[in-house]
Amino acid sequence: MSSERAASLSRPLRVAVLASGRGSNLQVLIDRIHGRGKVQIVAVGSDKPQAPALARAEAAGIETHVFATADFGGGRSERDAAIAAWLSGLGVELVVLAGYMQLLGPELLERFSGRVINVHPALLPAFPGLDAVGQALAYGVKVFGVTVHFVDDGVDTGPIILQEAVALPNARTREEVFDALHEIEHRLLPRAVGLIADGAVAPDPEHPRRVLVR
Amino acid sequence: MSSERAASLSRPLRVAVLASGRGSNLQVLIDRIHGRGKVQIVAVGSDKPQAPALARAEAAGIETHVFATADFGGGRSERDAAIAAWLSGLGVELVVLAGYMQLLGPELLERFSGRVINVHPALLPAFPGLDAVGQALAYGVKVFGVTVHFVDDGVDTGPIILQEAVALPNARTREEVFDALHEIEHRLLPRAVGLIADGAVAPDPEHPRRVLVR
């Protein structure tokens, strides 16, 4: 991707965001990086018709689309095909999962190979999957953190772009951990998108599983 | 343990260290915390007759013993029984694994329940077991770290006492990671031993898997 991107650095990277919830990460992307020359958020999709993320997108004049579970009798594969067609039609170059609660299937991931990123509230590979913060609290860790990574066909197993840790040795509730992690997410996710737009993110040729960030 | 300890805070905590290698963590314990009133290292054991850790102990006037694999035909269980008898005879209250490359069996761990700690060069539960730093490099993490934890009957699965992270986003070799982690180990391990000696470490009554540090 980085060589493709290098050829087109003169125009903004076309980004889509998929979100299921509040959309606070979407809002940060809109506020800090969208429409400033480097990144254009051209689409926001959700599986939840009532997701506040959709209203945030509309308020920013960004096209939205709902891919509700109820509308896709055929299940994930059919929904993914519809999402992929929509993204392709809009010329999307990078897909950002920002609190998107559906797993993406292999067809979509293959079509957007190396062009889907996710933000996860743990220091992967620790605590993948749902309720990462609850898992970490139950384990009794003293250090929490956030990972931005490429999405592959596993659950939160793709190559890591950025990570940041925070020491919370006395944390006992999800709320206090999320207070710290949201701040980190809101810093790391725009940074990752900006770095990708700059063509500054590439696999290490010697070990492609490791991501080099210039 | 903390209540037992509270009753005896007036005398030093009797500590044994088990080590297989260089003994740099042992040296830090000797230099920073041994014989200053709070902690007395009364024994250093090793499975390796040539371990430099033994010479470090002898130089500090600390009793040593070798429990070499070749001397225990019956395997781990027989060796563990010998270690446990030796530790009990010396009135050891805390066992510190500092680069000890043998697994301890359930009998010894039960006899010293909640009184064996280990230092591990990763942010557990990520990368347990051997070559944690190599595992982390292969995965491509951006944040590394150190964990001091109680030892239970799993491999690096016990309750966490202290953790510290370090961001090394460009690390590519074990050497550069170990340079950073050794410094952290040398800070965390004496701190953990000192906190235990102070009676400042106890399971959270609401969730014993979580360790509270005062």
Side-chain angles (χ1 to χ4, degrees):
Chain A
M1 182 193 170
S2 71
S3 58
E4 284 173 43
R5 180 62 193 157
S8 56
L9 283 173
S10 55
R11 54 162 189 76
L13 184 73
R14 294 176 70 80
V15 173
V17 177
L18 299 181
S20 301
R22 290 194 304 136
S24 71
N25 277 312
L26 168 65
Q27 190 65 53
V28 170
L29 291 172
I30 291 170
D31 292 343
R32 300 208 193 149
I33 199 164
H34 168 64
R36 299 179 172 214
K38 192 195 283 190
V39 168
Q40 197 71 21
I41 303 176
V42 297
V44 171
S46 181
D47 56 321
K48 302 268 185 267
Q50 305 302 327
L54 295 168
R56 293 180 192 264
E58 282 154 17
I62 298 167
E63 177 168 341
T64 64
H65 203 289
V66 175
F67 299 89
T69 306
D71 297 343
F72 295 93
R76 186 172 80 181
S77 168
E78 200 183 316
R79 168 157 49 189
D80 274 5
I83 294 174
W86 180 63
L87 296 173
S88 295
L90 290 167
V92 166
E93 300 164 291
L94 178 71
V95 180
V96 177
L97 307 185
Y100 184 63
M101 301 304 285
Q102 305 292 329
L103 292 176
L104 296 176
E107 300 89 346
L108 189 149
L109 291 174
E110 200 166 312
R111 192 149 157 190
F112 288 87
S113 175
R115 296 189 290 157
V116 182
I117 69 173
N118 182 45
V119 57
H120 184 78
L123 292 171
L124 292 169
F127 313 121
L130 294 176
D131 192 21
V133 170
Q135 292 181 56
L137 283 167
Y139 194 95
V141 299
K142 302 302 184 186
V143 171
F144 298 76
V146 171
T147 303
V148 180
H149 63 95
F150 287 111
V151 175
D152 66 11
D153 55 6
V155 175
D156 300 321
T157 54
I160 293 171
I161 304 166
L162 297 175
Q163 280 186 307
E164 188 176 319
V166 58
L168 297 170
N170 303 315
R172 296 172 94 160
T173 67
R174 284 176 179 78
E175 290 64 32
E176 59 195 306
V177 178
F178 271 122
D179 278 352
L181 296 191
H182 282 149
E183 190 190 321
I184 298 175
E185 287 181 3
H186 296 171
R187 190 164 55 241
L188 290 200
L189 190 57
R191 187 185 303 163
V193 173
L195 286 164
I196 291 170
D198 287 336
V201 175
D204 183 342
E206 289 175 21
H207 183 66
R209 166 79 213 182
R210 185 182 309 141
V211 177
L212 300 181
V213 177
R214 247 204 296 112
Chain B
M1 179 191 174
S2 71
S3 58
E4 283 173 44
R5 180 63 194 156
S8 57
L9 282 174
S10 55
R11 56 163 189 74
L13 184 72
R14 294 177 70 79
V15 173
V17 177
L18 299 181
S20 302
R22 291 194 303 136
S24 72
N25 277 311
L26 167 64
Q27 191 64 53
V28 169
L29 291 172
I30 290 171
D31 293 343
R32 300 208 192 147
I33 199 164
H34 169 61
R36 300 181 171 211
K38 193 193 281 189
V39 168
Q40 196 71 22
I41 303 177
V42 298
V44 172
S46 181
D47 56 322
K48 302 267 185 267
Q50 306 303 327
L54 295 168
R56 293 179 191 265
E58 283 154 18
I62 299 167
E63 175 167 342
T64 64
H65 203 290
V66 175
F67 300 88
T69 306
D71 298 340
F72 295 93
R76 186 172 81 181
S77 168
E78 201 183 315
R79 166 157 50 189
D80 275 7
I83 294 174
W86 180 62
L87 297 173
S88 294
L90 290 167
V92 166
E93 299 165 291
L94 178 70
V95 180
V96 177
L97 307 184
Y100 184 63
M101 300 304 285
Q102 305 293 330
L103 292 176
L104 296 175
E107 301 88 346
L108 189 151
L109 291 174
E110 199 167 312
R111 193 148 158 191
F112 288 86
S113 176
R115 296 189 290 158
V116 183
I117 69 172
N118 181 46
V119 57
H120 184 79
L123 293 171
L124 292 170
F127 312 120
L130 294 175
D131 193 20
V133 169
Q135 292 181 55
L137 283 167
Y139 195 95
V141 298
K142 303 301 183 186
V143 170
F144 297 76
V146 171
T147 303
V148 179
H149 63 95
F150 287 110
V151 175
D152 66 12
D153 56 6
V155 175
D156 301 320
T157 54
I160 293 171
I161 304 166
L162 297 174
Q163 281 185 308
E164 188 176 320
V166 57
L168 297 171
N170 303 316
R172 297 171 94 160
T173 67
R174 284 175 179 79
E175 288 66 31
E176 60 195 306
V177 178
F178 272 123
D179 279 351
L181 296 192
H182 282 150
E183 189 190 322
I184 298 175
E185 288 181 3
H186 296 171
R187 191 164 54 242
L188 289 200
L189 190 56
R191 188 186 302 162
V193 173
L195 287 164
I196 291 169
D198 288 336
V201 175
D204 184 342
E206 289 175 20
H207 183 64
R209 166 79 212 181
R210 184 183 309 141
V211 177
L212 299 181
V213 177
R214 245 201 298 110

